[in-house]
Each structure stands twice: as structure tokens, then as C-alpha cells.
Amino acid sequence: MNGLSVDGTREVDLGSEADALTPAACLFHGFSDPSRLAILRHLSMGEHRVVDLTEHLGLAQSTVSKHLACLRDCGLVTSRPVGRASVYSLNHTDAVMAVFAATERLLELTGDAVALCPNYGTATLKDAQ
């Protein structure tokens, strides 16, 4: 419930607030895989075919395709047919690059804290792969 409590402070319905943040959480989930981040970085330099990304990143074609599908479903990339191949490009390049810049700044401020976090640090990334 949003309103004033008996003592005059503002009450916030945390369920509604969390519900309102669900799209942001989904977006961050799209950014949560290092391979997807690498794909986004490559696409920020221009269009790429799946074969180009597999060569640049050393990933399997199926892995790159799976990540591109996720990024496409998130509205972060788009594709267009060129012959028998699809060429992928980054949507909203300026906004994605701003997120990367903000991320780099936040990582500078937190140092190793994020990597050492027991819930989401590098150890959990290794476990998930």
C-alpha cells in the first residue's frame, strides 16, 4: 500500500515496487553471461555473422546462436538475412555503451568486491558453466 503510516512516514508496497522492477531485472539477466557481454561488445563495433562471432570469441556456433536468440528476445540485437546467412547488429548502441561505461565506473568504485561476492562472484560463474 502506498500512503502515509500512523507516524506520518511514507509506506511503500514492496511487492508492487519489486514487480515494477521486474523488467529491469530481466534486462540485467540478459547482461549476466560473459559470452553475451562479449557478443554485445563485438556488435558495438558493427554487424557480424554468427560465423564471425564464433571465430572472434572461440565459442561453438550453437552457443553463439543461443546467446544471440536471448539478446534478440531482449530487444538488444536484430538480424537481417544476407544470402544464406543472418547478419546481426546491436540495437540502441548508445544506450548499451552507456550501460557498459556505467558498469566500468561501478567496477572501479567497488574494486574486487563484486568478483568476491559469495552470491554472484566469479566462483558462482564457474559453477554455472
Side-chain angles (χ1 to χ4, degrees):
M1 96 180 89
N2 288 331
L4 294 179
S5 68
V6 176
D7 65 358
T9 60
R10 190 124 181 99
E11 290 183 4
V12 176
D13 182 349
L14 295 179
S16 295
E17 185 175 356
D19 290 344
L21 292 171
T22 297
C26 292
L27 178 64
F28 282 113
H29 185 73
F31 283 110
S32 70
D33 187 280
S35 296
R36 284 194 293 271
L37 290 175
I39 290 169
L40 289 171
R41 284 223 185 251
H42 276 276
L43 292 177
S44 73
M45 295 179 262
E47 294 182 324
H48 285 76
R49 298 174 300 157
V50 173
V51 67
D52 301 327
L53 292 168
T54 60
E55 289 173 11
H56 293 308
L57 302 171
L59 297 171
Q61 181 272 329
S62 60
T63 300
V64 171
S65 293
K66 178 184 75 165
H67 287 307
L68 285 168
C70 172
L71 294 169
R72 186 185 60 239
D73 292 345
C74 290
L76 296 170
V77 303
T78 191
S79 66
R80 62 182 178 83
V82 175
R84 292 178 33 204
S86 292
V87 176
Y88 287 84
S89 59
L90 185 60
N91 291 332
H92 319 294
T93 303
D94 291 342
V96 171
M97 296 313 294
V99 169
F100 283 157
T103 300
E104 289 171 6
R105 176 72 177 125
L106 191 55
L107 288 171
E108 287 173 7
L109 294 170
T110 61
D112 289 338
V114 173
L116 298 174
C117 174
N119 295 314
Y120 300 109
T122 55
T124 61
L125 285 178
K126 292 174 188 168
D127 292 342
Q129 293 175 345

